[in-house]
Amino acid sequence: MNFENIQLGIAPINWTNDDMPELGAENTFEQCISEMALAGYTGCEVGNKFPRNVHELKKALVLRGLRICNQWNSYELTTKSLEENKKDFTQLLDFLEAMGAKVIGGGETGNSCQGKKDVPVLEGKGMLSTENDWKKFTYGLNELGKIARDRGMKLSFHHHMGTCIQTAAETERMLNETDAENVWLNYDCGHFYFAGEDPVACLEKFISRTAHIHLKDIRPKVLQKVKDNRMSFLDAVRDGVFTVPGDEEGCINFPALFEIIKSSGYTGWMVVEAEQDPAKANPFEYALKAREYIKRLTGL
């Protein structure tokens, strides 16, 4: 088994940040996708500057040899009714299906501190505190996953800092309490490391339930600053806690991750997704750095 059945994409959050639109406000949609293609990627996720007209978006992407592989969905199963969640989820499914994507991503934002600048990310995460909380959450996720599965797509849930599914234990419980045919994982090595977990051990444990992979690295010096100064998630991002694979300031063992992926038979996308301040970290330069590094390690 090699990497011939895996495709490599990149997220537009490297150019323009959905949570902090002021980061990369100067970067246009056309610049973003042109630089993605120029750096050698074949797919991408959807950002806030992407047109929502399917014909218009497809035309722009086809010109550059790109296609859509996923988009973030904000699940609010902890704070909104299942019917409200179904409505938003189905609308996004319609769009992604029309764009030819096979995965719908996202994490639980309903009780999360990820967007709150006044809450330390390592202290204020969302919680599923009772058995009933867990039951409601996993039941809703499973129901949404059924909708996706019936349409030939996979719900690929993103464990994320500041949310109720952040740690390896929380991720494992979520997967155990949902149907393996309905709910998959959007594995993210950077978020597991940030959460104090071993990304390599997590990938080994969860690869069989993984339908989408985000590749990002962590700058340990910035992470220590986040801890010392009790920083919010958004301020951590702005300060550069994340970077791309191949950055010498990073610390994650990507050779070990790629060995697991290679031997697993995984056939989805790997997506470089390292949100940074584009004014400090030129998006094209970092996209190219990651692309060359991944090619060197995988041949992809």
Side-chain angles (χ1 to χ4, degrees), residues 132-146:
N132 199 50
D133 288 344
W134 270 99
K135 191 173 181 180
K136 179 188 173 189
F137 174 73
T138 54
Y139 175 80
L141 204 54
N142 210 51
E143 289 299 299
L144 296 176
K146 279 183 197 171

Side-chain angles (χ1 to χ4, degrees), residues 155-170:
L155 188 164
S156 187
F157 190 87
H158 196 315
H159 59 98
H160 196 286
M161 289 303 298
T163 76
C164 57
I165 307 298
Q166 173 179 297
T167 66
E170 289 162 346

Side-chain angles (χ1 to χ4, degrees), residues 35 37 70 91 99 147 207 270 283 295 299:
E35 290 184 353
N70 179 26
Q91 283 179 344
M99 291 305 303
I147 295 171
I207 188 66
M270 299 193 305
K295 185 173 184 179

